Amino acid sequence: MQKNPDIQNSQAKETIISVKNVYKAFGTLKVLNGISLDVVRGENVVVLGKSGSGKSVLIKIIAGLLKADKGDVNVLGCDMNTISNKDLQKLRLRIGFSFQSSALYDSMTVRENLEFALVRNKPQLSRADIDKAVKKVLDDVQLAGSIEQMPSELSGGQTKRIGIARTLILEPEIMLYDEPTAGLDPVTSIEINKLMNKVKDEYKTTSIIITHDLTCAKTTGDRVAMLYDGKFLRQGSFEEVFQSDDVRIKNFYDYNFITNP
Amino acid sequence: MNTETGQTTQRAGILGGLRDFFAGMYRLYKFIVQFFKQVFIPPYEIREVINQCYEVGCKTLPLITLTGFITGLVFTKQSRPSLSEFGAASWLPSLVTIAIVRALAPLVTSLIVAGKVGSNIGAELGSMKVSEQIDAMEMTATNPFKFLVVTRILACSLMLPLLVLYSGGVGILGSYLNVHTNELTSFRGFMNDAFSKISFLDIFSSVIKSAVYGFTVGVISCFQGYNATNGTVGVGKAANQAVVISMFAIFLEETVIVQFVNSFLR
Ligand SMILES: Nc1ncnc2c1ncn2[C@@H]1O[C@H](COP(=O)(O)OP(=O)(O)OP(=O)(O)O)[C@@H](O)[C@H]1O
Ligand SMILES: [Mg+2]
């Protein structure tokens, strides 16, 4: 398997997210069927899969928002099955989650959205420190002008970027992106892809990126994993995965390039 | 905390309906238990409670002023003919005040709060739920149940008694206006008559009763919103159910409380 050279050199590939044989069902609907995934520090893993295949469920399990029915999930050394509420809260501050719907608090301005986590978790910070942090993340996502706007006044791409900025303010070690480019035009998608790569370089994050956009997968992923029927069909570099003769993978590839030329 | 509530498995027939009803009641019961567990554990989110109190109070004040006043005025006006027939129009102040303090103010005010605040909470929490804002809050190590639900339930329970006292006061003023224009009674004379038959216990039980109604509106609206599913359709449904079920529950409670209080008082 081809690996990113920086990862091989740095500190012997420390695995910081490990999912082993995880099952999850909602009532009679089996969503995950014994899925396994390891992510090493500094790597961007792209999870591909069609709508409803359980991609969001997978990262919600990693973030502790849902509990697995069966199987082991270990994130930054914490066992998610036995973790106490208090430790889970601490752990979550080290994980940034960019939601599929962006999930900006729509009763608050952009500024209040961004500072919410800081104000609540770091009461020792002064007003000036908070303003500085807000300004920094806004500059990172190039939206300094939107600070006093309400989320309803932002465009789709701006909303995504503010969503990402809101998670960056706590300087997370892990970023989980749920369909960061879904519903955006190709030009805006490319900007978001660049932003994700910039976040990786600047904040030294490890990321899981969920998408069904192959351009996004190709530009941001060190490794690609294809989710099908609640399991990973294949994992590897983009080329390795899509050189496969498996029709299920081929269909996905053809679909993307025929309908989004 | 678990976000996977609200799965509706479709089962046909009355039996399925009953089963769903009891399953829903059980979840509501657990929701209430969770409120009592969390309300005593710090952090208390006092700032947010004050914000919510302000929301509940401010949003409803104009409407409550208007309805309170009209209730007092109209009730007096409508009662006059039948009392006059017995030559007992002088009883109007005390009769109307008893009706307002014991029944009208708590009931009318809490129904208005159910309509105005309940639908607001249902829609707000519902849209936060379906657009993953509640999950997002959880990811910032903020307990969303405490921050969103506990604060709103507290605000409703604290504010409704105040609103009821206020609405009762305005209602009595409305009644005074009508009595004054017809019988030329002085303000002081009216008030003396009005409160001659009202005991502290009447006011006290109304206040307690309204706290119960406030709690009911808070719990039911938060429950509906917090468990909303199915996107925007679910948000509308949550807002609607919040109002309908709250109002229904208030009437049920009123019936039970009246029986209970009467068996003690008399
Ligand atoms: N909280 C929940 N309760 C019940 N069912 C759920 C819940 N969350 C997800 N599901 C179901 O699990 C399945 C997988 O959902 P998921 O959101 O993970 O899909 P996805 O791969 O992210 O799809 P998309 O690309 O459309 O976002 C869906 O059929 C969904 O209906
Ligand atoms: Mg999804």
Side-chain angles (χ1 to χ4, degrees), chain B residues 181-227:
Chain B
T181 42
N182 284 281
E183 278 95 14
L184 303 173
T185 319
S186 74
F187 186 71
R188 174 171 280 215
F190 174 86
M191 285 300 164
N192 276 340
D193 284 351
F195 285 94
S196 59
K197 294 273 186 327
I198 293 289
S199 65
F200 171 73
L201 215 69
D202 284 317
I203 296 178
F204 182 73
S205 68
S206 275
V207 165
I208 298 295
K209 186 158 87 170
S210 2
V212 172
Y213 297 161
F215 180 79
T216 307
V217 172
V219 164
I220 290 176
S221 313
C222 287
F223 179 74
Q224 292 297 334
Y226 206 71
N227 291 316

Side-chain angles (χ1 to χ4, degrees), chain A residues 55-56 100 178-179 210:
Chain A
K55 304 178 301 289
S56 300
Q100 189 163 356
D178 196 348
E179 303 199 11
I210 285 183

Side-chain angles (χ1 to χ4, degrees), chain A residues 24 26-27 60 63 65-67 89 92-93 95 97 99-101 103-107 116-117 120-121 166 178, chain B residues 1-4 7 9 43 45 47 124 127-128 130-143 147:
Chain A
K24 177 77 190 175
F26 295 103
K60 282 187 178 167
L65 290 169
L66 292 172
K67 278 240 172 321
Q89 303 230 323
R92 278 179 173 154
L93 297 179
I95 304 177
F97 198 129
F99 286 87
Q100 189 163 356
S101 52
L104 298 183
Y105 306 127
D106 40 33
S107 59
F116 184 82
R120 297 188 55 84
N121 291 296
R166 186 175 66 177
D178 196 348
Chain B
M1 205 179 301
N2 217 334
T3 37
E4 52 197 284
Q7 298 168 40
T9 17
E45 309 286 4
R47 254 187 66 175
E124 191 179 11
S127 74
M128 289 188 81
V130 302
S131 64
E132 300 176 303
Q133 291 172 53
I134 291 182
D135 284 342
M137 197 169 275
E138 212 159 313
M139 288 309 293
T140 59
T142 294
N143 178 345
F147 189 80

Side-chain angles (χ1 to χ4, degrees), chain B residues 96-143:
Chain B
V96 172
T97 308
I98 288 176
I100 287 179
V101 170
R102 289 199 190 147
L104 287 176
L107 211 53
V108 170
T109 312
S110 43
L111 290 179
I112 286 177
V113 170
K116 187 93 187 159
V117 178
S119 60
N120 206 7
I121 292 178
E124 191 179 11
L125 294 194
S127 74
M128 289 188 81
K129 173 71 193 299
V130 302
S131 64
E132 300 176 303
Q133 291 172 53
I134 291 182
D135 284 342
M137 197 169 275
E138 212 159 313
M139 288 309 293
T140 59
T142 294
N143 178 345

Side-chain angles (χ1 to χ4, degrees), chain B:
Chain B
M1 205 179 301
N2 217 334
T3 37
E4 52 197 284
T5 40
Q7 298 168 40
T8 39
T9 17
Q10 299 279 315
R11 275 182 215 85
I14 300 170
L15 229 68
L18 270 181
R19 211 198 122 114
D20 286 349
F21 173 77
F22 284 111
M25 290 306 274
Y26 179 66
R27 287 199 290 125
L28 180 62
Y29 162 76
K30 290 219 311 209
F31 195 79
I32 295 172
V33 169
Q34 201 179 2
F35 167 80
F36 282 108
K37 268 191 196 156
Q38 301 215 359
V39 70
F40 297 111
I41 310 169
Y44 296 114
E45 309 286 4
I46 291 176
R47 254 187 66 175
E48 189 59 19
V49 173
I50 294 171
N51 274 345
Q52 291 303 326
C53 283
Y54 180 77
E55 286 274 305
V56 173
C58 269
K59 284 238 163 76
T60 51
L61 207 58
L63 205 57
I64 284 178
T65 310
L66 193 71
T67 48
F69 189 78
I70 291 176
T71 308
L73 190 103
V74 170
F75 191 72
T76 312
K77 196 174 160 69
Q78 302 284 32
S79 308
R80 178 171 291 105
S82 30
L83 280 184
S84 301
E85 239 170 81
F86 301 104
S90 61
W91 288 4
L92 262 176
S94 67
L95 176 94
V96 172
T97 308
I98 288 176
I100 287 179
V101 170
R102 289 199 190 147
L104 287 176
L107 211 53
V108 170
T109 312
S110 43
L111 290 179
I112 286 177
V113 170
K116 187 93 187 159
V117 178
S119 60
N120 206 7
I121 292 178
E124 191 179 11
L125 294 194
S127 74
M128 289 188 81
K129 173 71 193 299
V130 302
S131 64
E132 300 176 303
Q133 291 172 53
I134 291 182
D135 284 342
M137 197 169 275
E138 212 159 313
M139 288 309 293
T140 59
T142 294
N143 178 345
F145 189 89
K146 191 167 257 176
F147 189 80
L148 300 171
V149 173
V150 172
T151 54
R152 280 172 174 74
I153 296 178
L154 279 180
C156 288
S157 317
L158 293 174
M159 289 309 284
L160 200 58
L162 294 182
L163 290 171
V164 164
L165 287 178
Y166 170 77
S167 141
V170 176
I172 291 171
L173 276 183
S175 171
Y176 165 70
L177 195 75
N178 186 275
V179 170
H180 179 73
T181 42
N182 284 281
E183 278 95 14
L184 303 173
T185 319
S186 74
F187 186 71
R188 174 171 280 215
F190 174 86
M191 285 300 164
N192 276 340
D193 284 351
F195 285 94
S196 59
K197 294 273 186 327
I198 293 289
S199 65
F200 171 73
L201 215 69
D202 284 317
I203 296 178
F204 182 73
S205 68
S206 275
V207 165
I208 298 295
K209 186 158 87 170
S210 2
V212 172
Y213 297 161
F215 180 79
T216 307
V217 172
V219 164
I220 290 176
S221 313
C222 287
F223 179 74
Q224 292 297 334
Y226 206 71
N227 291 316
T229 46
N230 286 339
T232 40
V233 179
V235 176
K237 193 175 158 217
N240 183 277
Q241 296 283 76
V243 178
V244 173
I245 301 177
S246 296
M247 287 188 173
F248 183 67
I250 287 171
F251 278 114
L252 272 185
E253 285 168 353
E254 171 78 13
T255 319
V256 174
I257 291 175
V258 164
Q259 299 295 335
F260 182 78
V261 171
N262 282 2
S263 71
F264 267 80
L265 281 182
R266 278 155 270 270

Side-chain angles (χ1 to χ4, degrees), chain A residues 26 29 31 50-57 100 179 212, chain B residues 4:
Chain A
F26 295 103
L29 177 72
V31 180
K50 64 175 190 202
S51 188
S53 55
K55 304 178 301 289
S56 300
V57 170
Q100 189 163 356
E179 303 199 11
H212 29 222
Chain B
E4 52 197 284

Side-chain angles (χ1 to χ4, degrees), chain A residues 39-233:
Chain A
V39 182
V40 299
R41 193 179 281 282
E43 142 181 78
N44 274 3
V45 174
V46 168
V47 174
L48 292 168
K50 64 175 190 202
S51 188
S53 55
K55 304 178 301 289
S56 300
V57 170
L58 173 68
I59 58 168
K60 282 187 178 167
I61 287 176
I62 291 171
L65 290 169
L66 292 172
K67 278 240 172 321
D69 295 339
K70 214 169 92 186
D72 295 322
V73 181
N74 194 298
V75 180
L76 292 165
C78 301
D79 179 352
M80 302 300 277
N81 289 328
T82 56
I83 193 165
S84 70
N85 244 330
K86 219 171 153 194
D87 291 340
L88 182 59
Q89 303 230 323
K90 271 194 217 139
L91 175 66
R92 278 179 173 154
L93 297 179
R94 301 164 70 190
I95 304 177
F97 198 129
S98 154
F99 286 87
Q100 189 163 356
S101 52
S102 297
L104 298 183
Y105 306 127
D106 40 33
S107 59
M108 304 181 192
T109 63
V110 166
R111 177 204 295 280
E112 288 164 338
N113 262 284
L114 294 175
E115 64 187 25
F116 184 82
L118 273 191
V119 171
R120 297 188 55 84
N121 291 296
K122 308 213 167 132
Q124 72 278 11
L125 290 184
S126 70
R127 190 67 244 173
D129 290 336
I130 292 175
D131 286 343
K132 214 168 104 193
V134 168
K135 187 170 177 315
K136 168 151 191 344
V137 290
L138 271 181
D139 286 342
D140 282 338
V141 300
Q142 295 163 356
L143 278 176
S146 303
I147 188 158
E148 296 305 341
Q149 280 179 302
M150 296 302 284
S152 57
E153 297 163 359
L154 301 173
S155 73
Q158 289 172 331
T159 311
K160 288 275 182 206
R161 290 199 296 211
I162 297 294
I164 293 171
R166 186 175 66 177
T167 64
L168 289 179
I169 204 156
L170 290 171
E171 302 183 348
E173 290 163 55
I174 295 178
M175 279 297 291
L176 305 172
Y177 297 97
D178 196 348
E179 303 199 11
T181 60
L184 300 179
D185 65 87
V187 178
T188 315
S189 298
I190 289 169
E191 281 172 17
I192 299 276
N193 293 341
K194 280 190 192 146
L195 173 61
M196 287 191 286
N197 281 329
K198 181 174 148 189
V199 167
K200 179 190 170 185
D201 294 338
E202 227 171 83
Y203 289 80
K204 305 275 174 276
T205 53
T206 308
S207 317
I208 297 182
I209 300 165
I210 285 183
T211 186
H212 29 222
D213 169 3
L214 292 185
T215 318
C216 169
K218 202 166 179 175
T219 43
T220 57
D222 298 316
R223 195 147 64 84
V224 173
M226 175 88 190
L227 186 59
Y228 193 93
D229 266 350
K231 272 191 203 151
F232 282 126
L233 215 53

